[in-house]
Amino acid sequence: SHEHYLNKQLLDNLLSFLSRSHSEFQEKTTEWTCKMKFREIPTAALVLGVNVTDHDLTFRGLSDVLQDSITPYIALLEAKDCPGIKNLMQKLMGQLMNCDIDVDTLEDEDCVQVSQNRIRCSMSSLISWYESVTKKTDSETPSKKRSSSSRHWKSPPVVVIFKDMESFTTKVLQDFIVISSQHILELPLVLIFGIATSPMIIHRLLPHSVSSLLCIELFQSISCKEHLSTIIDKLLLTSRFPFKLGEKVLQVLINIFLYHDFSVQNFIKGFQLCIVEHFYSQPLSVLCCQLVDVKKRVISLSHEQCENIRRLPSFRRYVEKQEAGKQIALLTNDTFLKEDTESLLKDLHVYHENYVSILRCLHVFTSSLPKYPLGKQIRELHCACLENRVWETEEYESSLQLARMLNKTDLVTMLQQCVEILTSSSGKQFDKTVEKLKEFLTQFQNLEAEASQERDVSVLSQKELQKKTDLYHLQKTLLELKESRRSKKLTKFEVLRFEVVDYMDSLVRKYLVPADDRTLHEIVYFNAANVLRGHLNAAPRTALHTALNNPHWYLKNQALKCDGGSISNKAPDICIVYKLHLECGRLINLVDWLEAFSTVVTAAEEPNAVAASSDQMDDIIQYPFSFLSTVSELELLGFIKPSKQKTDHVARLTWGGC
Amino acid sequence: LAKKNKEEKMGNLVEEYFEAHSSSKVLTSDRTLQKLRKRRLDQQTLHDLLKKAPLAYAAEIRDLNKQHESLFSKWMLQLHLGFNIVLYGLGSKRDLLEKFRTSLLQNSVHLVVNGYFPSITVRSILNSITEEVLDYIGTFRSPRDQLEFIIKRFKEDSSLELYVLIHNLDSQMLRGERSQQILAQLSSLPSIYLIASIDHINAPLMWDQAKLSLYNWLWYETTTFSPYVEETSYENSLLVQQSGSLALSSLMHVLHSLTLNARGIFRLLAQHQLEKKDNPSYPGLSFQDFYQQCREAFLVNSDLTLRAQLTEFRDHKLIRTKRGADGVEYLLIPVDDSTLTHFLEKENEDV
């Protein structure tokens, strides 16, 4: 259950992020909830974004914060529980009374008795509940409120959270708001609307007469893309977790997020699945652990596992580079192999630490360049670096060129940021680098005086340009200016700038080697992107289409092999029936279909069953009926449906060749 | 280049759609099955015939199934880690799930739901959980209450574990929004492990984001190529039984249990209807005319006996009465003409 533990550890980490990222606006809500208004119902509209799956977590965090600091009375309503106002009131009462019990249990016991009795009463007989429902809504709630709040501090508000505003029916919402606004004096109510789309929906759902009873304030949650960035930042770009994602896998997860659902929860699910798959399918994943455990685990490896290591492609590449004596030792001697493996794994760990720090430094540079050739987000840079040698790409080349044109203030702040990143990183390797960067910084300070001189010159030339001239003269001056620039020697600042950029370049070349080039990377990197895509983002229709069009893909039989778009007449019946149906229009005549099918099948039978004339009678019966069953199978699959338009016709539900 | 090809293909698809739906005119031949087939087979014979037919490519199909079966232990692990498993692909996945059940779930509490069964409801699934798994005897006001009770019990008692296998989660009865909502909530319980199969091409349309996250699916492609024997056996097949109308066998069955006179009355009506079958505006036989004819054939002796007899027919859905514009009651047999012809032929043989 190591993986389970790892799983949980990661999950907890992620959960705490989600709630923390929302805490800012939660605090605002909290403060704001305290401000009670008497005439109108104070309402908070939370614009949460379309990723409905993540909202649960937000609301849980929200109600925890509210419970701790403001009020014990919180009810969370979901549209699926409240088809009518009665259900809504019942749900609301139930939740509020439960809250009541939770808080009061320590103080006195009989209160519990009363509320429990009341709940049971409303549950037990439907009729009495129907009778009491009017009493419940109109008088019971306020009285309950008064009695219990008298023992509480300064009358806490009752918070009602509508989790999915869009799904509620207008009638229910309107009724509830109108009823509760009547009792706002006795019952300090606060509504919170969770909105997935835009605040416009409030006005679309509620007429003016009702929305005027609300005093709405808007809150915006942070965007899901920021969530993703934080998660990637804390989960992947850290050396704390030994398990890593390969480039393709990461790309799949990010694509599902950006192009399908914007759901952080699904991203986490995908990550969980990666962990499960990796630890299930890779036998060497036992070595994917914290650095402190590596030694212990390597020593306990069995011979079979050692063989597994030898079989790793990256390890083979490594062996080939060694000298002959060491090669033999690595391939035959288990103890020697174990020692080497341990040091290789440690190297891998060090590589990660350095990688992350240098990646962040590079990001500091590239994220401020115009047009972002290497991407705006650090995840894009990360993917680019994982994919292949980043310094060989065109984008990297152009970003270096752009970096050589940076102005001084930007360059200085960037260098300072890099120094910060490198000093805070856990690797001890960067002392020299930091020194070098600091040296650059002092040099920049020394340049101050010269730089001002430089500016004077440029100002002068600017002034020349601004003089009124005719077009011919302007062109001439411009050409001269260009000429002088080309011939002019580089200033000290420019020289220094080149040095800085070249130094960064050397760092990138040294540390941002893609993971695939590292020995034993298979142990910590999960790379089976196609497995992941199949399980998370499946395409059932494509699978059906392939199976029906090209049965050979699944049934490895030579007889089924066919080229192009045609299909073998020996294919399973359903494939033939399907293929014939593709040739039809919107409606299909069953008789024609059946006859076409019989023709195909008898053509297939003839060559090998000439002597079967005695069975002819049987065949005639059998073919239509295997046809019948396949037709109803196609109906089950949803390709056709019975049609009333014409006798013995079916309607096709798909179109074209799929 | 590949991209351009793809775009072209997409364009073609769009055009094909409009081509298919451009005109309401149907360009198919007018042939019907009636002219083609001499003998009609009932459901039972069909099944027997199908069973006799050898399964093509049995060896290859067995190989495919072996591949899927090797995943069983992985499924178990993933179920326990909070995922639920959904199987898709061509072919019945019933046997595969059954194999999974017999090989891994023998010693644990499990529930098998045959979604293709036409009278399955979410309520019956919930009932079997409360009654047989939780040993609770009692009724609930609504499935939602029942669900809440189940959720509460499973949360209280961490030792409870339940495997739910659903064949055809996308069947007619379970594909409704409310059923899916309840099943999704059920499957989101950590100690309920759901493994289901889907077949319909549009099955994923049942689930919105919220339900998908409750289900927490892991998709597995399990193309088996096995015939859908059980799944289609309940379906009113187009060719075996005309939907909504009485099959010949059931018609014969009912009539055989009637008195001779009653059968005569029915035959009279049938004959009359067949004579008028080419007249599309034929409203049916009016009661008065019918009474007259029956009297002449010495089948009834009073208005009252005929009415009693007709009531019995109506109870068995053998006839339908319709009031015409003039307020006269007309009688019709709601069976298509060919079945009626077959029936009369059979009757004549018997007599």
PDB file of all heavy atoms in Angstrom, chain A residues 15-38:
ATOM      1  N   LEU A  15      -5.501  19.099  -1.935  1.00  0.00           N
ATOM      2  CA  LEU A  15      -6.710  19.615  -1.306  1.00  0.00           C
ATOM      3  C   LEU A  15      -6.394  20.891  -0.546  1.00  0.00           C
ATOM      4  O   LEU A  15      -7.131  21.874  -0.631  1.00  0.00           O
ATOM      5  CB  LEU A  15      -7.300  18.570  -0.354  1.00  0.00           C
ATOM      6  CG  LEU A  15      -7.900  17.338  -1.011  1.00  0.00           C
ATOM      7  CD1 LEU A  15      -8.559  16.463   0.030  1.00  0.00           C
ATOM      8  CD2 LEU A  15      -8.886  17.727  -2.080  1.00  0.00           C
ATOM      9  N   SER A  16      -5.307  20.868   0.162  1.00  0.00           N
ATOM     10  CA  SER A  16      -4.985  22.045   0.949  1.00  0.00           C
ATOM     11  C   SER A  16      -4.737  23.243   0.031  1.00  0.00           C
ATOM     12  O   SER A  16      -5.064  24.377   0.364  1.00  0.00           O
ATOM     13  CB  SER A  16      -3.778  21.789   1.836  1.00  0.00           C
ATOM     14  OG  SER A  16      -2.629  21.732   1.063  1.00  0.00           O
ATOM     15  N   PHE A  17      -4.214  22.961  -1.165  1.00  0.00           N
ATOM     16  CA  PHE A  17      -4.034  24.063  -2.111  1.00  0.00           C
ATOM     17  C   PHE A  17      -5.321  24.690  -2.505  1.00  0.00           C
ATOM     18  O   PHE A  17      -5.452  25.901  -2.522  1.00  0.00           O
ATOM     19  CB  PHE A  17      -3.484  23.540  -3.412  1.00  0.00           C
ATOM     20  CG  PHE A  17      -2.098  23.505  -3.341  1.00  0.00           C
ATOM     21  CD1 PHE A  17      -1.442  22.367  -3.614  1.00  0.00           C
ATOM     22  CD2 PHE A  17      -1.437  24.618  -2.925  1.00  0.00           C
ATOM     23  CE1 PHE A  17      -0.142  22.338  -3.496  1.00  0.00           C
ATOM     24  CE2 PHE A  17      -0.104  24.571  -2.816  1.00  0.00           C
ATOM     25  CZ  PHE A  17       0.554  23.422  -3.101  1.00  0.00           C
ATOM     26  N   LEU A  18      -6.258  23.811  -2.860  1.00  0.00           N
ATOM     27  CA  LEU A  18      -7.534  24.308  -3.352  1.00  0.00           C
ATOM     28  C   LEU A  18      -8.177  25.192  -2.306  1.00  0.00           C
ATOM     29  O   LEU A  18      -8.636  26.283  -2.611  1.00  0.00           O
ATOM     30  CB  LEU A  18      -8.450  23.127  -3.660  1.00  0.00           C
ATOM     31  CG  LEU A  18      -8.225  22.511  -5.019  1.00  0.00           C
ATOM     32  CD1 LEU A  18      -9.057  21.281  -5.163  1.00  0.00           C
ATOM     33  CD2 LEU A  18      -8.562  23.500  -6.099  1.00  0.00           C
ATOM     34  N   SER A  19      -8.183  24.735  -1.057  1.00  0.00           N
ATOM     35  CA  SER A  19      -8.870  25.533  -0.043  1.00  0.00           C
ATOM     36  C   SER A  19      -8.076  26.796   0.260  1.00  0.00           C
ATOM     37  O   SER A  19      -8.650  27.839   0.505  1.00  0.00           O
ATOM     38  CB  SER A  19      -9.126  24.711   1.210  1.00  0.00           C
ATOM     39  OG  SER A  19      -7.929  24.131   1.615  1.00  0.00           O
ATOM     40  N   ARG A  20      -6.765  26.689   0.207  1.00  0.00           N
ATOM     41  CA  ARG A  20      -5.984  27.881   0.516  1.00  0.00           C
ATOM     42  C   ARG A  20      -6.170  28.945  -0.554  1.00  0.00           C
ATOM     43  O   ARG A  20      -6.297  30.124  -0.271  1.00  0.00           O
ATOM     44  CB  ARG A  20      -4.507  27.521   0.643  1.00  0.00           C
ATOM     45  CG  ARG A  20      -3.802  28.459   1.595  1.00  0.00           C
ATOM     46  CD  ARG A  20      -2.321  28.167   1.651  1.00  0.00           C
ATOM     47  NE  ARG A  20      -2.039  26.747   1.794  1.00  0.00           N
ATOM     48  CZ  ARG A  20      -0.964  26.167   1.278  1.00  0.00           C
ATOM     49  NH1 ARG A  20      -0.091  26.869   0.595  1.00  0.00           N
ATOM     50  NH2 ARG A  20      -0.748  24.882   1.457  1.00  0.00           N
ATOM     51  N   SER A  21      -6.216  28.467  -1.790  1.00  0.00           N
ATOM     52  CA  SER A  21      -6.327  29.443  -2.876  1.00  0.00           C
ATOM     53  C   SER A  21      -7.646  30.190  -2.809  1.00  0.00           C
ATOM     54  O   SER A  21      -7.761  31.293  -3.324  1.00  0.00           O
ATOM     55  CB  SER A  21      -6.182  28.747  -4.218  1.00  0.00           C
ATOM     56  OG  SER A  21      -7.163  27.781  -4.354  1.00  0.00           O
ATOM     57  N   HIS A  22      -8.611  29.593  -2.144  1.00  0.00           N
ATOM     58  CA  HIS A  22      -9.903  30.269  -2.046  1.00  0.00           C
ATOM     59  C   HIS A  22     -10.033  31.082  -0.771  1.00  0.00           C
ATOM     60  O   HIS A  22     -11.000  31.790  -0.597  1.00  0.00           O
ATOM     61  CB  HIS A  22     -11.029  29.245  -2.089  1.00  0.00           C
ATOM     62  CG  HIS A  22     -11.376  28.852  -3.466  1.00  0.00           C
ATOM     63  ND1 HIS A  22     -12.314  29.512  -4.189  1.00  0.00           N
ATOM     64  CD2 HIS A  22     -10.865  27.901  -4.264  1.00  0.00           C
ATOM     65  CE1 HIS A  22     -12.393  28.965  -5.388  1.00  0.00           C
ATOM     66  NE2 HIS A  22     -11.525  27.985  -5.456  1.00  0.00           N
ATOM     67  N   SER A  23      -9.075  30.951   0.111  1.00  0.00           N
ATOM     68  CA  SER A  23      -9.269  31.533   1.441  1.00  0.00           C
ATOM     69  C   SER A  23      -9.415  33.046   1.371  1.00  0.00           C
ATOM     70  O   SER A  23     -10.152  33.636   2.140  1.00  0.00           O
ATOM     71  CB  SER A  23      -8.113  31.152   2.359  1.00  0.00           C
ATOM     72  OG  SER A  23      -6.963  31.824   1.930  1.00  0.00           O
ATOM     73  N   GLU A  24      -8.761  33.627   0.406  1.00  0.00           N
ATOM     74  CA  GLU A  24      -8.806  35.087   0.334  1.00  0.00           C
ATOM     75  C   GLU A  24     -10.230  35.585   0.180  1.00  0.00           C
ATOM     76  O   GLU A  24     -10.713  36.396   0.963  1.00  0.00           O
ATOM     77  CB  GLU A  24      -7.960  35.573  -0.837  1.00  0.00           C
ATOM     78  CG  GLU A  24      -7.729  37.065  -0.797  1.00  0.00           C
ATOM     79  CD  GLU A  24      -7.367  37.568  -2.165  1.00  0.00           C
ATOM     80  OE1 GLU A  24      -6.336  37.157  -2.700  1.00  0.00           O
ATOM     81  OE2 GLU A  24      -8.140  38.397  -2.687  1.00  0.00           O
ATOM     82  N   PHE A  25     -10.869  35.022  -0.818  1.00  0.00           N
ATOM     83  CA  PHE A  25     -12.222  35.522  -1.026  1.00  0.00           C
ATOM     84  C   PHE A  25     -13.187  34.972   0.013  1.00  0.00           C
ATOM     85  O   PHE A  25     -14.202  35.572   0.301  1.00  0.00           O
ATOM     86  CB  PHE A  25     -12.674  35.244  -2.465  1.00  0.00           C
ATOM     87  CG  PHE A  25     -13.423  33.993  -2.679  1.00  0.00           C
ATOM     88  CD1 PHE A  25     -14.802  34.011  -2.695  1.00  0.00           C
ATOM     89  CD2 PHE A  25     -12.768  32.786  -2.865  1.00  0.00           C
ATOM     90  CE1 PHE A  25     -15.502  32.854  -2.911  1.00  0.00           C
ATOM     91  CE2 PHE A  25     -13.467  31.649  -3.072  1.00  0.00           C
ATOM     92  CZ  PHE A  25     -14.826  31.677  -3.090  1.00  0.00           C
ATOM     93  N   GLN A  26     -12.809  33.864   0.609  1.00  0.00           N
ATOM     94  CA  GLN A  26     -13.652  33.355   1.692  1.00  0.00           C
ATOM     95  C   GLN A  26     -13.636  34.309   2.866  1.00  0.00           C
ATOM     96  O   GLN A  26     -14.655  34.625   3.463  1.00  0.00           O
ATOM     97  CB  GLN A  26     -13.157  31.989   2.147  1.00  0.00           C
ATOM     98  CG  GLN A  26     -13.749  30.877   1.323  1.00  0.00           C
ATOM     99  CD  GLN A  26     -12.983  29.597   1.472  1.00  0.00           C
ATOM    100  OE1 GLN A  26     -12.026  29.544   2.237  1.00  0.00           O
ATOM    101  NE2 GLN A  26     -13.389  28.597   0.756  1.00  0.00           N
ATOM    102  N   GLU A  27     -12.441  34.831   3.174  1.00  0.00           N
ATOM    103  CA  GLU A  27     -12.356  35.768   4.285  1.00  0.00           C
ATOM    104  C   GLU A  27     -13.195  36.997   4.009  1.00  0.00           C
ATOM    105  O   GLU A  27     -13.884  37.505   4.883  1.00  0.00           O
ATOM    106  CB  GLU A  27     -10.905  36.163   4.521  1.00  0.00           C
ATOM    107  CG  GLU A  27     -10.210  35.232   5.490  1.00  0.00           C
ATOM    108  CD  GLU A  27      -8.715  35.284   5.335  1.00  0.00           C
ATOM    109  OE1 GLU A  27      -8.202  36.355   4.992  1.00  0.00           O
ATOM    110  OE2 GLU A  27      -8.065  34.241   5.545  1.00  0.00           O
ATOM    111  N   LYS A  28     -13.145  37.422   2.768  1.00  0.00           N
ATOM    112  CA  LYS A  28     -13.936  38.586   2.408  1.00  0.00           C
ATOM    113  C   LYS A  28     -15.421  38.319   2.648  1.00  0.00           C
ATOM    114  O   LYS A  28     -16.129  39.127   3.218  1.00  0.00           O
ATOM    115  CB  LYS A  28     -13.689  38.940   0.946  1.00  0.00           C
ATOM    116  CG  LYS A  28     -13.212  40.350   0.817  1.00  0.00           C
ATOM    117  CD  LYS A  28     -13.099  40.914  -0.568  1.00  0.00           C
ATOM    118  CE  LYS A  28     -12.921  40.091  -1.724  1.00  0.00           C
ATOM    119  NZ  LYS A  28     -12.583  40.603  -2.970  1.00  0.00           N
ATOM    120  N   THR A  29     -15.826  37.137   2.256  1.00  0.00           N
ATOM    121  CA  THR A  29     -17.221  36.778   2.462  1.00  0.00           C
ATOM    122  C   THR A  29     -17.558  36.773   3.934  1.00  0.00           C
ATOM    123  O   THR A  29     -18.620  37.220   4.350  1.00  0.00           O
ATOM    124  CB  THR A  29     -17.498  35.370   1.920  1.00  0.00           C
ATOM    125  OG1 THR A  29     -16.640  35.143   0.861  1.00  0.00           O
ATOM    126  CG2 THR A  29     -18.926  35.208   1.525  1.00  0.00           C
ATOM    127  N   THR A  30     -16.647  36.252   4.690  1.00  0.00           N
ATOM    128  CA  THR A  30     -16.885  36.121   6.117  1.00  0.00           C
ATOM    129  C   THR A  30     -17.100  37.480   6.757  1.00  0.00           C
ATOM    130  O   THR A  30     -18.080  37.683   7.478  1.00  0.00           O
ATOM    131  CB  THR A  30     -15.679  35.445   6.770  1.00  0.00           C
ATOM    132  OG1 THR A  30     -15.184  34.475   5.898  1.00  0.00           O
ATOM    133  CG2 THR A  30     -16.048  34.835   8.069  1.00  0.00           C
ATOM    134  N   GLU A  31     -16.194  38.364   6.451  1.00  0.00           N
ATOM    135  CA  GLU A  31     -16.334  39.705   7.011  1.00  0.00           C
ATOM    136  C   GLU A  31     -17.662  40.300   6.611  1.00  0.00           C
ATOM    137  O   GLU A  31     -18.384  40.900   7.406  1.00  0.00           O
ATOM    138  CB  GLU A  31     -15.230  40.619   6.466  1.00  0.00           C
ATOM    139  CG  GLU A  31     -13.905  40.445   7.157  1.00  0.00           C
ATOM    140  CD  GLU A  31     -12.835  41.226   6.424  1.00  0.00           C
ATOM    141  OE1 GLU A  31     -13.190  42.206   5.734  1.00  0.00           O
ATOM    142  OE2 GLU A  31     -11.679  40.826   6.529  1.00  0.00           O
ATOM    143  N   TRP A  32     -17.941  40.048   5.384  1.00  0.00           N
ATOM    144  CA  TRP A  32     -19.071  40.700   4.781  1.00  0.00           C
ATOM    145  C   TRP A  32     -20.377  40.111   5.302  1.00  0.00           C
ATOM    146  O   TRP A  32     -21.381  40.790   5.428  1.00  0.00           O
ATOM    147  CB  TRP A  32     -18.898  40.478   3.291  1.00  0.00           C
ATOM    148  CG  TRP A  32     -19.955  41.055   2.480  1.00  0.00           C
ATOM    149  CD1 TRP A  32     -20.092  42.325   2.095  1.00  0.00           C
ATOM    150  CD2 TRP A  32     -21.029  40.346   1.970  1.00  0.00           C
ATOM    151  NE1 TRP A  32     -21.195  42.465   1.344  1.00  0.00           N
ATOM    152  CE2 TRP A  32     -21.795  41.259   1.260  1.00  0.00           C
ATOM    153  CE3 TRP A  32     -21.453  39.016   2.035  1.00  0.00           C
ATOM    154  CZ2 TRP A  32     -22.944  40.894   0.614  1.00  0.00           C
ATOM    155  CZ3 TRP A  32     -22.590  38.658   1.400  1.00  0.00           C
ATOM    156  CH2 TRP A  32     -23.330  39.599   0.692  1.00  0.00           C
ATOM    157  N   THR A  33     -20.313  38.835   5.640  1.00  0.00           N
ATOM    158  CA  THR A  33     -21.497  38.183   6.176  1.00  0.00           C
ATOM    159  C   THR A  33     -21.927  38.826   7.491  1.00  0.00           C
ATOM    160  O   THR A  33     -23.104  38.844   7.826  1.00  0.00           O
ATOM    161  CB  THR A  33     -21.199  36.695   6.397  1.00  0.00           C
ATOM    162  OG1 THR A  33     -20.618  36.180   5.231  1.00  0.00           O
ATOM    163  CG2 THR A  33     -22.441  35.922   6.720  1.00  0.00           C
ATOM    164  N   CYS A  34     -20.920  39.329   8.220  1.00  0.00           N
ATOM    165  CA  CYS A  34     -21.236  39.924   9.521  1.00  0.00           C
ATOM    166  C   CYS A  34     -22.134  41.145   9.379  1.00  0.00           C
ATOM    167  O   CYS A  34     -22.973  41.422  10.221  1.00  0.00           O
ATOM    168  CB  CYS A  34     -19.964  40.349  10.236  1.00  0.00           C
ATOM    169  SG  CYS A  34     -18.815  39.033  10.415  1.00  0.00           S
ATOM    170  N   LYS A  35     -21.941  41.842   8.310  1.00  0.00           N
ATOM    171  CA  LYS A  35     -22.731  43.065   8.131  1.00  0.00           C
ATOM    172  C   LYS A  35     -24.168  42.702   7.831  1.00  0.00           C
ATOM    173  O   LYS A  35     -24.507  42.216   6.762  1.00  0.00           O
ATOM    174  CB  LYS A  35     -22.148  43.896   6.990  1.00  0.00           C
ATOM    175  CG  LYS A  35     -20.866  44.583   7.350  1.00  0.00           C
ATOM    176  CD  LYS A  35     -20.452  45.540   6.252  1.00  0.00           C
ATOM    177  CE  LYS A  35     -19.666  44.836   5.192  1.00  0.00           C
ATOM    178  NZ  LYS A  35     -19.525  45.597   3.973  1.00  0.00           N
ATOM    179  N   MET A  36     -24.999  42.885   8.788  1.00  0.00           N
ATOM    180  CA  MET A  36     -26.387  42.477   8.585  1.00  0.00           C
ATOM    181  C   MET A  36     -27.220  43.630   8.065  1.00  0.00           C
ATOM    182  O   MET A  36     -27.085  44.773   8.496  1.00  0.00           O
ATOM    183  CB  MET A  36     -26.968  41.980   9.910  1.00  0.00           C
ATOM    184  CG  MET A  36     -26.441  40.659  10.338  1.00  0.00           C
ATOM    185  SD  MET A  36     -26.839  39.430   9.109  1.00  0.00           S
ATOM    186  CE  MET A  36     -28.605  39.632   9.075  1.00  0.00           C
ATOM    187  N   LYS A  37     -28.066  43.312   7.170  1.00  0.00           N
ATOM    188  CA  LYS A  37     -29.002  44.335   6.715  1.00  0.00           C
ATOM    189  C   LYS A  37     -30.395  43.848   7.059  1.00  0.00           C
ATOM    190  O   LYS A  37     -30.662  42.657   7.068  1.00  0.00           O
ATOM    191  CB  LYS A  37     -28.866  44.508   5.209  1.00  0.00           C
ATOM    192  CG  LYS A  37     -27.505  45.008   4.833  1.00  0.00           C
ATOM    193  CD  LYS A  37     -27.555  45.849   3.602  1.00  0.00           C
ATOM    194  CE  LYS A  37     -26.233  46.539   3.438  1.00  0.00           C
ATOM    195  NZ  LYS A  37     -25.935  46.785   2.047  1.00  0.00           N
ATOM    196  N   PHE A  38     -31.258  44.779   7.304  1.00  0.00           N
ATOM    197  CA  PHE A  38     -32.552  44.342   7.792  1.00  0.00           C
ATOM    198  C   PHE A  38     -33.643  44.306   6.740  1.00  0.00           C
ATOM    199  O   PHE A  38     -34.490  43.432   6.753  1.00  0.00           O
ATOM    200  CB  PHE A  38     -32.974  45.191   8.988  1.00  0.00           C
ATOM    201  CG  PHE A  38     -32.333  44.706  10.242  1.00  0.00           C
ATOM    202  CD1 PHE A  38     -31.055  45.096  10.592  1.00  0.00           C
ATOM    203  CD2 PHE A  38     -32.996  43.787  11.048  1.00  0.00           C
ATOM    204  CE1 PHE A  38     -30.457  44.607  11.724  1.00  0.00           C
ATOM    205  CE2 PHE A  38     -32.391  43.303  12.194  1.00  0.00           C
ATOM    206  CZ  PHE A  38     -31.112  43.710  12.528  1.00  0.00           C
TER     207      PHE A  38
END
